[in-house]
Amino acid sequence: MKIVHVIVNENDKSRVERVTRFMPEEFEHQYVTPAEIGSAEGDVIHAHRWFECGQAAAKYAAAKGVPYVVEVMQSDLDAYHKLFVFSKRGAENVLAEAARVVFTSQSQQESLAQHLPSKTADTVFFHSMMLLEALDPFWISNIRIHPPTALVHIKLLYVGPSDSHHHLDVVHHAMKKLQRRNYDVSLTTVGDLSEEELLEVYRSHDILLQLDEKTPSTQRFAEALSQGLPVLYAPDSVCDGIFKEGQAGYAVNPKSSDDIARTILNVSDLFGTIEQHISRLHPLSQFDGKEQASHYEHLYENVRHI
C-alpha cells in the first residue's frame, strides 16, 4: 500500500517518520509538499496539517478517487479561530469530507467541537480519532524515573525559544512569593539543545513548566515525563487531558502567580507520590512510535476501503 504524506517541511517529515519507520515493509511512504502533490501516486493521502496541507490533499483525493486523512495540529486551530465565519467553510469541508480526522490531543477535539457548526461537528467527530505525537526513540530508550526524594531545592525548568519567555514573568513573581516564605526555588530556561544535552538538563531539574496556552506540541511534555519530571501546563493546552490531574502534573492558570506558587508547593509536598504516578505511566506507550505504528497500519487499511 502506498501512503502519500503531505507535509510542510523536514520537521514534519521527522515527526511522521518516528512512526512510519516501525510500520511493515508492505507500506510504502512518499513525502510531498502541497505544491508537489500533483506528481504523487498513492492509495491513501495523509495531510499532516489541516490548514497548510488539507486543501491540496482534498483536491488530489477527489481527482484520483482515493481517500484522505487529515491531521489537526495546534497551529491549525490557531489559524481557524482567526478566520471570519464565512471564511471557515472551506476548511470545515476539508474535515467533513475526510475519511478520518486525527487529533493529537483531547483539548484540540474539545476546542474545535465548540466552534464547528453542529452538523459538521457530528460528521467530523463520527470519523475522528486521537493519536498522540510520537516521541523520538532516543527518549524511550533512555527512560528514567526521578528519585522520589523530598525537594529541598525546587529546581524549575522551561524549555523553549527565547521569544516565548514573556509568560515567565508571572513565574518569577510566583518564585518571589515562595522565596519570601523561605522556600529555595530556582528557574532555568534553555533553548535549542541536542538530545543528549537536553537529557542531562531534565535529569538535573525537578519540574517542567509548559505554561504557554499556545504550546504547539506535546513533545516537551512527553520528554519530561520520560525523565520522571512532573509538568505544570496551561488549562486547555495540548497537554491538558492526556492524563488525569496529578498523574503527570497539574493544569495551572499561567496568568496567576498565586496559582503557580500554590501548585509548585503542592507538587513539592507530594513529589514522592507524583513520582510513583509517573513511574506507572512508563514506558509511555502512548508516545511510543512502535505502538503507534500499529494504529496507523489499521487506520490506512480501514480508510483504503471507504
Side-chain angles (χ1 to χ4, degrees):
M1 184 188 305
K2 296 181 179 179
I3 313 299
V4 176
H5 299 275
V6 190
I7 59 174
V8 173
N9 50 40
E10 286 299 313
N11 287 337
D12 281 352
K13 183 179 180 182
S14 176
R15 173 170 59 88
V16 176
E17 286 183 331
R18 294 175 200 159
V19 175
T20 58
R21 71 177 72 177
F22 297 113
M23 293 183 68
E25 292 183 359
E26 57 261 32
F27 288 87
E28 299 178 27
H29 303 278
Q30 181 181 5
Y31 298 89
V32 299
T33 65
E36 299 167 339
I37 195 172
S39 61
E41 290 292 337
D43 300 303
V44 176
I45 312 302
H46 188 152
H48 287 275
R49 291 180 182 271
W50 171 25
F51 260 63
E52 294 175 273
C53 306
Q55 193 70 48
K59 288 181 179 179
Y60 176 91
K64 296 287 186 177
V66 296
Y68 70 93
V69 175
V70 176
E71 193 167 331
V72 178
M73 304 293 288
Q74 183 61 43
S75 58
D76 295 318
L77 291 179
D78 295 340
Y80 174 77
H81 293 322
K82 292 177 182 178
L83 293 177
F84 292 109
V85 173
F86 64 85
S87 301
K88 293 182 177 181
R89 292 172 186 166
E92 292 166 353
N93 287 339
V94 169
L95 294 183
E97 295 170 8
R100 288 288 186 276
V101 178
V102 177
F103 292 92
T104 55
S105 81
Q106 180 179 324
S107 63
Q108 292 172 346
Q109 288 181 300
E110 294 173 351
S111 174
L112 190 59
Q114 295 173 8
H115 295 88
L116 285 176
S118 58
K119 186 176 180 180
T120 303
D122 290 342
T123 301
V124 170
F125 293 111
F126 179 75
H127 58 226
S128 69
M129 61 189 299
M130 189 178 80
L131 288 170
L132 299 174
E133 182 179 343
L135 263 180
D136 189 283
F138 172 85
W139 298 100
I140 300 296
S141 62
N142 284 284
I143 209 161
R144 168 185 180 266
I145 192 64
H146 193 295
T149 56
L151 296 184
V152 177
H153 174 193
I154 306 170
K155 291 172 284 187
L156 308 174
L157 174 65
Y158 170 79
V159 181
S162 58
D163 60 1
S164 63
H165 284 189
H166 60 277
H167 66 282
L168 293 181
D169 290 343
V170 185
V171 175
H172 287 294
H173 287 300
M175 290 171 58
K176 289 178 180 178
K177 291 179 180 181
L178 294 175
Q179 289 162 350
R180 284 197 292 267
R181 295 168 59 185
N182 296 320
Y183 286 98
D184 188 3
V185 56
S186 63
L187 171 66
T188 301
T189 62
V190 298
D192 291 331
L193 298 175
S194 68
E195 289 180 322
E196 292 77 9
E197 291 171 327
L198 190 53
L199 179 74
E200 294 306 314
V201 171
Y202 281 129
R203 290 183 174 182
S204 61
H205 289 81
D206 305 311
I207 303 170
L208 178 71
L209 303 179
Q210 197 157 20
L211 300 179
D212 190 343
E213 296 161 305
K214 301 299 183 182
T215 297
S217 166
T218 56
Q219 179 182 352
R220 301 305 183 201
F221 175 81
E223 288 173 357
L225 294 183
S226 78
Q227 301 309 303
L229 271 68
V231 183
L232 304 189
Y233 47 85
D236 299 324
S237 69
V238 293
C239 305
D240 195 10
I242 296 177
F243 300 112
K244 292 181 180 179
E245 187 88 344
Q247 274 191 308
Y250 293 91
V252 59
N253 183 350
K255 298 178 181 178
S256 170
S257 59
D258 287 337
D259 194 23
I260 293 172
R262 182 169 51 251
T263 308
I264 290 172
L265 282 188
N266 187 38
V267 172
S268 178
D269 292 341
L270 299 174
F271 197 74
T273 301
I274 294 173
E275 285 306 302
Q276 290 177 4
H277 291 327
I278 294 176
S279 69
R280 295 189 188 106
L281 300 178
H282 289 180
L284 295 177
S285 57
Q286 300 96 325
F287 299 99
D288 190 341
K290 289 182 181 179
E291 295 285 337
Q292 291 196 2
S294 63
H295 294 300
Y296 276 99
E297 180 181 347
H298 294 311
L299 166 65
Y300 296 142
E301 288 176 341
N302 289 337
V303 303
R304 184 184 186 185
H305 302 292
I306 292 179

